[in-house]
Amino acid sequence: MLPASGLLPSRVDHIGVVVPQLEPAMDAYIANLGFSFGVFEVDETTSRFSGSSSKFRIRIAFALVGLLTVELIQPVSGATLYSRYLEAHGPGIHHLGVNVDNLAKARKSLTARGYRSILNGSIQGLGKFSYFDAPDLHCIIEPLQLSLTLPLFLAANAKPYPQI
């Protein structure tokens, strides 16, 4: 087994799922698995996603399930990695997010393993992240370095669903 070299496999953060509409997807997770979600939106004024159009909007829902988060992503407008994925593959599991202490080191490690970088991004108040195509893992890996202000970001921006 190769050493993690910047990735911490015991710190899997989330599973990202691309969906065409958040509400029906959240309703299905609630009905079948009892999840509850927080929802927020990002656009070009609050975030950066390499390879995206100059204007875009994305809605994100998250549910904490034990120590793991399920992240539902709805591309709303503009061209993004998510909208292109949805067009090419339809809805479904998109990536595995892994918390890292040093994003630059994780990027270097994944590149050295031969993984291809397909996106670099950030969301103000949430953190920085990248996506790498990991063919031997049969998925996209997202190393992410969360911001220390994440709780404040969620408190200010995430709305509960269903509404309380």
Side-chain angles (χ1 to χ4, degrees), residues 100-123:
V100 297
D101 294 324
N102 185 323
L103 184 58
K105 185 176 176 184
R107 286 175 177 157
K108 186 175 179 179
S109 172
L110 291 167
T111 300
R113 291 176 191 208
Y115 295 165
R116 181 176 58 92
S117 175
I118 56 176
L119 180 136
N120 291 304
S122 62
I123 298 174

Side-chain angles (χ1 to χ4, degrees), residues 72-90:
L72 305 178
I73 304 163
Q74 175 193 349
V76 176
S77 62
T80 63
L81 179 71
Y82 310 115
S83 63
R84 289 188 285 277
Y85 182 89
L86 193 58
E87 289 171 10
H89 304 285

Side-chain angles (χ1 to χ4, degrees), residues 27-107:
D27 290 344
Y29 277 90
I30 291 166
N32 291 296
L33 301 171
F35 292 5
S36 58
F37 288 91
V39 179
F40 62 93
E41 292 188 8
V42 298
D43 62 23
E44 71 284 348
T45 67
T46 60
S47 57
R48 183 183 63 77
F49 295 83
S50 64
S52 296
S53 58
S54 61
K55 292 191 180 276
F56 61 87
R57 190 170 69 127
I58 299 166
R59 296 178 68 215
I60 300 171
F62 61 94
L64 185 59
V65 185
L67 299 176
L68 185 69
T69 299
V70 172
E71 175 187 53
L72 305 178
I73 304 163
Q74 175 193 349
V76 176
S77 62
T80 63
L81 179 71
Y82 310 115
S83 63
R84 289 188 285 277
Y85 182 89
L86 193 58
E87 289 171 10
H89 304 285
I93 294 175
H94 179 263
H95 64 270
L96 181 64
V98 180
N99 275 331
V100 297
D101 294 324
N102 185 323
L103 184 58
K105 185 176 176 184
R107 286 175 177 157

